[in-house]
Amino acid sequence: MMSLITISINERTDPLATAMKYIIKNLGLNVRPGDIKFIKKDKTFLVKLNAVVPNEIIPLGRAKKSIVFIFKNVGEMILSENGNINQTSFAHDLEDHIKTEFWKVHQKVEETIKDYGKDVWGRLPPFKWFLRPLYSIINRLIIEQELSKNKLISEDYWKYVIPLIKNNIFNIDPHNEDKLICSNYLKLLCEKYDDPITVSELAVGLVIKNSLDYIMNELNIYGFLSYIDFPKIYYIDALEYGELIEVSYKDLIKKYNRFGRRIGSTFKRDTNFKYMISELVNAKILSENSDKESISGVEELFEKIVVYREEILDNANVIIEGL
Amino acid sequence: MDIIEDNKLPLFNDKRYSYMISTQSGIKNVSKTLSFDLLKNSITSKESDCFPSCCSMAALYWKHHIPNLNLEINLDYWKKFRKKTSFQNIKGVSLKGIYSNLPLNATNNHNEINTENLPTIELIDVNNTNELIEAQLIFIPKTPERFIDLIPPFSATVPILQILIFDDLYSRREITGTAHASILSNVNLIEKKIQIIDPQNFNKEEIIIMRNIDMKEFAKGWYILGNSVIWVYPRILERNLKIESGSTNIKKIKQEEITKYLN
């Protein structure tokens, strides 16, 4: 028979410790109690939640670097005088909020990649699959030279026309509001390439560059996003490291799954990743070393991105660690 | 560089801090060590997966001490668990995340890790049976007031394993870093040092090396994370232990705490 043992300790009961206990159980170790205020009226503690998010960059054969981002007020928690949790941000809301903050910091990287790839996005297969109506309408206009607005509305195509008008690819005829005509830009493309397919690819590229939010939020199309987000994850690491680096294929996929994947994004299996990477390499957005199964970037694109380094790291702690 | 505020709490030169590392006169000569086999039970952490690594080592620790616990002993199995649990989200790993990924019969209901009302049931000698014992591991977060509060879990027949959560970078350089997890291996109230099994501290053979830290240094990074500790033990031990939470049962926040946070 074993003897009965009593284990008893004194615990901290201050709001910080109480909040941290809840965070460990339910939210996640990157969440941290921030400012704490006692609200006299309700006799409650309002605990603002911060996030401390590490981005570890492990290039092949090089020293590891850790960048720690601090995002303030990503959520909040209300404690009673008795130390009970009255109300708190939900874990999934915090996850979304922190991810949004992370992407806000790196927004310029995305903008640069979208701009750099504007001539190639329209050529890549997933853009063609998921944005087929866009290609189809552009082709129709090139062939027919004018389209009826009312007809497009009745065919439920109008929502696809809006970004084309916004990007000055289609114009509304100034003499007839029901008539859509080619813009000067579209005419120039047609003269230059003499091939409706190439022209529609370039026009879609321009829409991707300028109206990605519309496509996601209004058209609810996400399927091709990994083609933008995957290189973004690589270039964020390269930018934060300060130079073009070689990253293992597996590490980058792991990081993409953690930070980069947006709702609705496709490509969960390695085989699809391989396919996507080879297309991005052909499009000269990324480069690949097939022997080592590692990925690197393209100098020209990196030079456009690295100018934002100081601005992005302004709100971060950089820790450099050796191998 | 942006250094996170310390929640406006007075820190290292105030009475609270001195209190945290002070010892009571009757037990100040205490030094307790966890019997942990580093060679057999080390799970190293190579990236941000220190917490899952510690949880894996905790499972191996208990399997080592109570062999008939129905827990996996294969290191590769636990390395896979570590990988699976890490990198799933940006908000970091929580105990809920650990539960949902523990491929053993862990408790799914996190309310079961309540610090109150743990039952004290009749005693059973677990060594008298060759049958496998239910493998549910219980993880209880605690917030010890002082270093001396780390001693009682060592008093159990098989010491309760404690995972410390602290900000390592803040401890060393007073710069905000991420939360780090390590297993408490030794508390030495005489030398005012603690020894931890840090899953990121490994040698070339990938065996974890113990790390000694001065209490004063450690307290900095520990305090800003609420002096958090997680006790890990198999459910079966609830029948042999009476676990109480001391002042936690009186949860009401003291008046002086409220005054500090007034608008």
Side-chain angles (χ1 to χ4, degrees):
Chain A
M1 294 284 276
M2 288 183 178
S3 58
L4 184 73
I5 295 164
T6 301
I7 294 176
S8 176
I9 67 163
N10 293 317
E11 288 197 71
R12 268 176 67 177
T13 55
D14 56 279
L16 186 151
T18 309
M20 198 60 212
K21 210 169 179 179
Y22 183 86
I23 287 168
I24 288 175
K25 270 192 200 175
N26 299 285
L27 301 181
L29 288 181
N30 291 346
V31 180
R32 191 169 290 195
D35 289 339
I36 302 173
K37 279 180 185 167
F38 184 70
I39 313 293
K40 269 188 195 169
K41 190 182 142 201
D42 306 328
K43 293 189 174 176
T44 53
F45 289 95
L46 175 67
V47 184
K48 295 281 181 187
L49 299 177
N50 296 338
V52 181
V53 178
N55 182 22
E56 289 184 331
I57 306 155
I58 312 169
L60 291 175
R62 305 283 298 278
K64 173 174 130 181
K65 274 189 195 179
S66 287
I67 315 288
V68 180
F69 288 96
I70 299 166
F71 304 118
K72 294 197 170 179
N73 300 333
V74 292
E76 60 184 37
M77 193 183 273
I78 296 173
L79 311 180
S80 73
E81 255 187 315
N82 293 330
N84 295 322
I85 311 288
N86 283 358
Q87 202 180 316
T88 177
S89 303
F90 291 112
H92 57 85
D93 291 338
L94 278 171
E95 177 75 12
D96 290 348
H97 199 144
I98 300 168
K99 221 174 227 184
T100 308
E101 290 296 316
F102 185 82
W103 287 125
K104 250 192 230 168
V105 171
H106 297 97
Q107 183 63 30
K108 285 182 178 164
V109 176
E110 181 179 319
E111 297 301 331
T112 313
I113 291 172
K114 281 191 301 192
D115 180 47
Y116 184 83
K118 66 180 184 297
D119 292 344
V120 296
W121 302 129
R123 291 206 315 255
L124 300 174
F127 293 84
K128 291 195 170 178
W129 301 329
F130 291 103
L131 297 173
R132 189 177 299 169
L134 270 178
Y135 291 86
S136 150
I137 296 169
I138 297 166
N139 282 334
R140 267 171 68 183
L141 185 64
I142 292 169
I143 292 162
E144 296 173 21
Q145 288 300 303
E146 60 175 61
L147 293 171
S148 158
K149 179 182 169 182
N150 287 332
K151 196 179 172 196
L152 287 168
I153 291 170
S154 69
E155 288 171 354
D156 206 18
Y157 269 127
W158 184 248
K159 58 188 177 185
Y160 295 98
V161 175
I162 291 171
L164 294 169
I165 295 174
K166 276 185 183 169
N167 283 286
N168 206 22
I169 295 163
F170 284 14
N171 282 350
I172 296 174
D173 188 338
H175 308 294
N176 181 354
E177 281 193 2
D178 183 48
K179 204 193 277 181
L180 287 169
I181 53 172
C182 296
S183 67
N184 289 339
Y185 172 71
L186 194 60
K187 283 178 193 164
L188 275 174
L189 286 180
C190 289
E191 279 171 24
K192 193 173 176 186
Y193 296 101
D194 196 25
D195 169 21
I197 293 171
T198 309
V199 172
S200 56
E201 286 171 353
L202 289 167
V204 168
L206 191 67
V207 171
I208 295 296
K209 182 201 157 195
N210 295 325
S211 304
L212 185 61
D213 285 347
Y214 179 86
I215 291 171
M216 289 192 304
N217 302 332
E218 303 297 326
L219 304 182
N220 293 322
I221 299 174
Y222 300 89
F224 53 81
L225 280 178
S226 49
Y227 276 66
I228 294 167
D229 291 344
F230 192 78
K232 190 165 69 178
I233 285 292
Y234 168 81
Y235 282 103
I236 283 173
D237 275 8
L239 169 127
E240 286 171 8
Y241 201 85
E243 54 192 286
L244 275 181
I245 47 174
E246 213 171 297
V247 186
S248 98
Y249 180 90
K250 278 183 183 173
D251 281 350
L252 200 59
I253 290 172
K254 198 161 66 177
K255 192 166 276 186
Y256 167 73
N257 284 330
R258 185 184 182 207
F259 287 104
R261 187 187 294 284
R262 294 191 237 199
I263 299 161
S265 229
T266 51
F267 298 108
K268 289 184 178 171
R269 290 173 304 177
D270 275 14
T271 47
N272 289 331
F273 270 112
K274 280 180 182 166
Y275 185 60
M276 175 178 71
I277 290 166
S278 73
E279 285 186 326
L280 287 167
V281 170
N282 287 338
K284 294 192 169 50
I285 302 287
L286 288 173
S287 68
E288 184 183 29
N289 183 339
S290 54
D291 294 344
K292 287 187 188 174
E293 288 217 327
S294 65
I295 294 166
S296 187
V298 176
E299 190 73 45
E300 195 185 336
L301 174 53
F302 180 69
E303 279 172 10
K304 290 176 191 289
I305 287 170
V306 78
V307 294
Y308 300 116
R309 187 164 195 268
E310 210 167 299
E311 184 185 323
I312 285 172
L313 295 187
D314 199 35
N315 194 29
N317 293 329
V318 183
I319 309 153
I320 303 167
E321 294 171 33
L323 277 177
Chain B
M1 297 284 179
D2 185 13
I3 297 173
I4 212 162
E5 287 178 24
D6 303 326
N7 304 301
K8 294 175 183 167
L9 280 177
L11 263 183
F12 310 117
N13 295 317
D14 72 347
K15 287 177 189 170
R16 177 188 292 277
Y17 177 67
S18 311
Y19 173 74
M20 207 170 106
I21 57 169
S22 71
T23 53
Q24 288 169 11
S25 55
I27 40 177
K28 67 182 171 191
N29 291 327
V30 171
S31 172
K32 293 278 188 182
T33 306
L34 189 77
S35 162
F36 188 90
D37 191 334
L38 283 174
L39 287 173
K40 285 183 183 166
N41 299 335
S42 292
I43 304 280
T44 58
S45 155
K46 292 180 180 173
E47 295 164 65
S48 304
D49 48 7
C50 49
F51 189 34
S53 296
C54 287
C55 293
S56 308
M57 285 194 280
L60 290 166
Y61 166 84
W62 282 109
K63 178 71 179 175
H64 177 77
H65 286 284
I66 308 177
N68 47 351
L69 272 178
N70 190 14
L71 284 172
E72 184 59 58
I73 201 158
N74 186 325
L75 283 182
D76 289 337
Y77 177 90
W78 289 107
K79 283 176 186 169
K80 274 181 197 163
F81 160 74
R82 185 200 70 198
K83 280 185 187 169
K84 195 181 166 196
T85 315
S86 321
F87 301 110
Q88 293 202 329
N89 50 49
I90 200 166
K91 65 182 174 53
V93 182
S94 65
L95 278 176
K96 252 187 178 177
I98 297 283
Y99 293 149
S100 58
N101 285 288
L102 263 178
L104 45 88
N105 194 14
T107 172
N108 284 319
N109 180 0
H110 73 282
N111 290 325
E112 288 183 38
I113 56 164
N114 201 315
T115 54
E116 297 169 350
N117 305 322
L118 287 176
T120 307
I121 311 172
E122 61 186 270
L123 308 179
I124 298 168
D125 187 346
V126 293
N127 296 320
N128 279 349
T129 173
N130 291 322
E131 288 176 18
L132 288 174
I133 303 170
E134 186 184 11
Q136 284 188 339
L137 287 181
I138 311 292
F139 295 76
I140 301 186
K142 295 274 184 185
T143 56
E145 275 196 330
R146 299 192 289 181
F147 281 99
I148 203 161
D149 293 321
L150 295 171
I151 296 284
F154 284 96
S155 311
T157 316
V158 179
I160 289 184
L161 184 137
Q162 298 178 82
I163 297 173
L164 298 169
I165 309 289
F166 63 107
D167 186 331
D168 200 10
L169 191 64
Y170 202 90
S171 282
R172 288 184 278 124
R173 288 158 51 185
E174 295 189 24
I175 296 171
T176 300
T178 50
H180 186 52
S182 293
I183 291 171
L184 178 65
S185 158
N186 175 275
V187 184
N188 192 328
L189 295 177
I190 307 157
E191 294 179 10
K192 294 202 188 307
K193 281 192 173 170
I194 61 161
Q195 192 176 52
I196 57 171
I197 299 164
D198 182 342
Q200 285 190 342
N201 217 31
F202 56 88
N203 67 8
K204 282 179 187 171
E205 285 76 38
E206 299 202 356
I207 294 165
I208 294 168
I209 303 164
M210 299 276 190
R211 196 175 139 195
N212 286 302
I213 314 180
D214 184 79
M215 279 182 183
K216 198 172 175 181
E217 181 187 313
F218 178 78
K220 296 176 191 174
W222 194 34
Y223 193 93
I224 59 166
L225 293 186
N227 292 8
S228 298
V229 168
I230 298 162
W231 292 3
V232 188
Y233 60 90
R235 181 173 288 283
I236 189 79
L237 280 196
E238 281 179 10
R239 298 169 192 173
N240 304 316
L241 290 172
K242 186 183 176 194
I243 296 173
E244 292 179 349
S245 291
S247 62
T248 319
N249 291 333
I250 312 157
K251 271 194 162 178
K252 191 158 180 157
I253 291 164
K254 294 167 192 163
Q255 188 57 44
E256 59 263 36
E257 292 291 347
I258 294 173
T259 316
K260 262 180 219 164
Y261 296 108
L262 277 173
N263 280 318

